[in-house]
Amino acid sequence: MAKKGDFRTLCVHAGELKDTQYGGAISPLYASTSYTFTDVKVGQYPRYFNTPNQRGLCKKIAALEGAEAGMIFGSGMAAISTALLSHLKSGDHVVFQNDLYGGTRNFIKHEFSKYGIEYSFAKGSLAKNFSVEIKNNTKGIYIETPSNPTLKIIDLKAISSIAKKSGIWTMIDNTFASPVNQNPISFGIDIVLHSATKYLGGHSDICAGVVLGSKKAINIVFASAKNLGGSLSDYTVWLLERSVKTLFIRVQAQNNNAQQIAEFLDKEDWVDHVFYPGLRSHPNHELAKAQMNGFGGMLSFNLKSFINSKKFLLSLMLIKPTMSLAGVESTALSPHLTSHALLNENERSAQGISPQMIRFSSGIEAVDDLKSDLFQAYKKAKQ
Ligand SMILES: *Cc1c(COP(=O)(O)O)cnc(C)c1O
């Protein structure tokens, strides 16, 4: 795993492009879609994922995850769908974690049957819940940890060892942790995915995705990606490089705020339960400590039944009640009403999502301002 000191330097400098013409301090933006043939095997072209800015940024993010290679996509879902489709064919089977990001679940439910790809969901978050689902035609295991929105932790080493024994691949959506808090490749996971719209971007103004892994795995992804065409504009690639320079300090501040908010809410009598792996009361606190470098900026909590959860959200004055997460500004939402609204009641309750649940994404504001905002919203939402 990259040492923390190195990690900060990698965030700023890995993969940077030199401005040899003018000696500028930052990577120049090469907006060209057309390049003369050089010694690269495939001609340089944006949809071939190999323009100078794309390659520079891949190098930076791959360095942060300890990956050999990577590719940048136009959204998290472009990265996820392309990684899965490239590694599967008709008749194959995949084991998925049950509580997946909503978009990923929709993708599987609506697209896989068209291609004759089979899947099943593990019935819990223990490694044995995954191994019992493995069949003769199973090609891979797909996980997300910490999970959304209940912050369950899955044992990375155990999952990778089951997969290696069965000769199948593993993929993880590492969005919630970010490369600062968790580097799954060091635990034997094959492919790491990120919605760069979240922590890598960090300012709620970029939509992008990343796939990372060995050169061999990325070559397989590339073979399909150039046909599916989900590349990211170089203008946005350039902006994303700027964001990643501050990734470490942003996420560090978000981790600190989340820990303090979780401890604060845990003591309040209007809160029923707090879901945060940094709390000693979290059932997987020790596992999280063992495989994460920090507990992350995401937490959820259940309001007691005498509080109207919708009114609570609308009463927040500093914290924004918006859909996305991981920005420098704190946001909160009701999974029941938004991110998990497309699931039916049974699916939601199987994942432990109650109408009283609030998912909170810590920003980098002063933590006392965030605590006061949560407290005044509770006062207004009491019924
Ligand atoms: C947002 C998100 C995605 C999808 O990313 P987009 O950039 O919106 O396509 C996938 N996984 C997780 C965990 C996410 O939070």
Side-chain angles (χ1 to χ4, degrees):
M1 206 175 297
K3 279 184 250 102
K4 283 298 159 203
D6 301 346
F7 193 96
R8 293 177 193 222
T9 308
L10 291 174
C11 281
V12 181
H13 293 295
E16 64 192 346
L17 306 179
K18 296 272 178 273
D19 178 0
T20 50
Q21 203 168 7
Y22 297 109
I26 61 155
S27 299
L29 164 56
Y30 295 101
S32 189
T33 55
S34 181
Y35 292 86
T36 43
F37 282 106
T38 56
D39 53 355
V40 287
K41 256 190 270 164
V42 194
Q44 289 189 88
Y45 188 62
R47 188 171 41 78
Y48 293 164
F49 298 80
N50 63 1
T51 58
N53 289 93
Q54 285 175 328
R55 282 189 289 157
L57 180 59
C58 282
K59 220 185 250 178
K60 187 191 284 290
I61 300 176
L64 301 181
E65 282 287 17
E68 269 177 25
M71 290 170 67
I72 312 292
F73 286 81
S75 70
M77 283 315 303
I80 291 166
S81 57
T82 307
L84 281 167
L85 290 176
S86 66
H87 275 80
L88 292 165
K89 60 177 183 342
S90 175
D92 288 348
H93 171 262
V94 196
V95 183
F96 286 95
Q97 178 173 338
N98 190 27
D99 32 7
L100 284 181
Y101 173 72
T104 308
R105 205 182 171 93
N106 275 338
F107 166 66
I108 300 162
K109 273 168 95 171
H110 293 113
E111 308 295 335
F112 270 20
S113 61
K114 294 183 197 167
Y115 300 96
I117 301 166
E118 299 168 23
Y119 60 93
S120 45
F121 291 108
K123 293 182 182 60
S125 44
L126 298 173
K128 64 171 189 224
N129 298 125
F130 287 82
S131 59
V132 298
E133 302 292 337
I134 296 176
K135 311 194 292 183
N136 286 337
N137 58 340
T138 303
K139 289 289 151 38
I141 298 178
Y142 184 106
I143 58 169
E144 249 181 77
T145 177
S147 71
N148 175 28
T150 52
L151 288 302
K152 293 189 192 100
I153 306 293
I154 289 182
D155 189 332
L156 296 175
K157 234 192 262 171
I159 292 290
S160 107
S161 101
I162 292 171
K164 286 197 163 59
K165 266 186 223 142
S166 309
I168 61 178
W169 48 254
T170 42
M171 288 189 196
I172 183 172
D173 181 337
N174 204 32
T175 302
F176 261 42
S178 92
V180 177
N181 291 323
Q182 185 167 271
N183 302 118
I185 289 172
S186 66
F187 294 92
I189 301 293
D190 297 313
I191 293 181
V192 175
L193 305 156
H194 283 281
S195 166
T197 314
K198 314 298 164 53
Y199 287 103
L200 291 167
H203 296 72
S204 311
D205 56 5
I206 287 174
C207 182
V210 184
V211 181
L212 302 150
S214 65
K215 280 190 183 134
K216 198 173 150 215
I218 296 303
N219 282 340
I220 293 170
V221 178
F222 173 69
S224 295
K226 65 173 194 256
N227 297 327
L228 295 170
S231 57
L232 181 67
S233 150
D234 276 302
Y235 297 98
T236 313
V237 169
W238 181 85
L239 196 57
L240 184 54
E241 189 212 338
R242 188 181 73 171
S243 286
V244 177
K245 290 183 189 182
T246 57
L247 178 69
F248 183 87
I249 54 167
R250 279 189 280 113
V251 172
Q252 202 73 341
Q254 286 166 309
N255 284 350
N256 288 338
N257 276 357
Q259 182 75 38
Q260 289 184 60
I261 300 277
E263 286 171 12
F264 160 72
L265 292 172
D266 204 31
K267 292 196 193 90
E268 292 295 298
D269 58 10
W270 44 278
V271 176
D272 217 14
H273 186 77
V274 182
F275 304 81
Y276 186 65
L279 290 178
R280 244 167 290 162
S281 57
H282 187 286
N284 298 122
H285 176 65
E286 290 305 319
L287 175 59
K289 230 159 90 176
Q291 67 185 26
M292 299 180 78
N293 307 315
F295 299 113
M298 298 300 301
L299 62 103
S300 295
F301 55 96
N302 287 341
L303 294 165
K304 288 240 171 97
S305 56
F306 62 87
I307 300 162
N308 179 319
S309 58
K310 196 168 172 187
K311 194 159 176 206
F312 176 85
L313 283 173
L314 296 176
S315 303
L316 292 165
M317 288 162 73
L318 182 67
I319 300 160
K320 295 189 168 76
T322 60
M323 274 293 278
S324 204
L325 60 106
V328 292
E329 58 284 318
S330 294
T331 60
L333 60 71
S334 154
H336 181 87
L337 296 176
T338 56
S339 61
H340 293 68
L342 291 176
L343 301 187
N344 62 41
E345 209 52 65
N346 287 341
E347 289 175 311
R348 268 195 298 269
S349 74
Q351 294 184 27
I353 301 167
S354 101
Q356 290 301 94
M357 179 180 271
I358 303 291
R359 188 188 79 183
F360 180 77
S361 168
S362 305
I364 61 171
E365 303 94 336
V367 74
D368 285 341
D369 291 336
L370 299 173
K371 286 183 198 170
S372 312
D373 196 28
L374 292 164
F375 191 75
Q376 67 80 27
Y378 138 67
K379 291 271 183 201
K380 282 186 197 149
K382 258 196 297 189
Q383 50 194 2

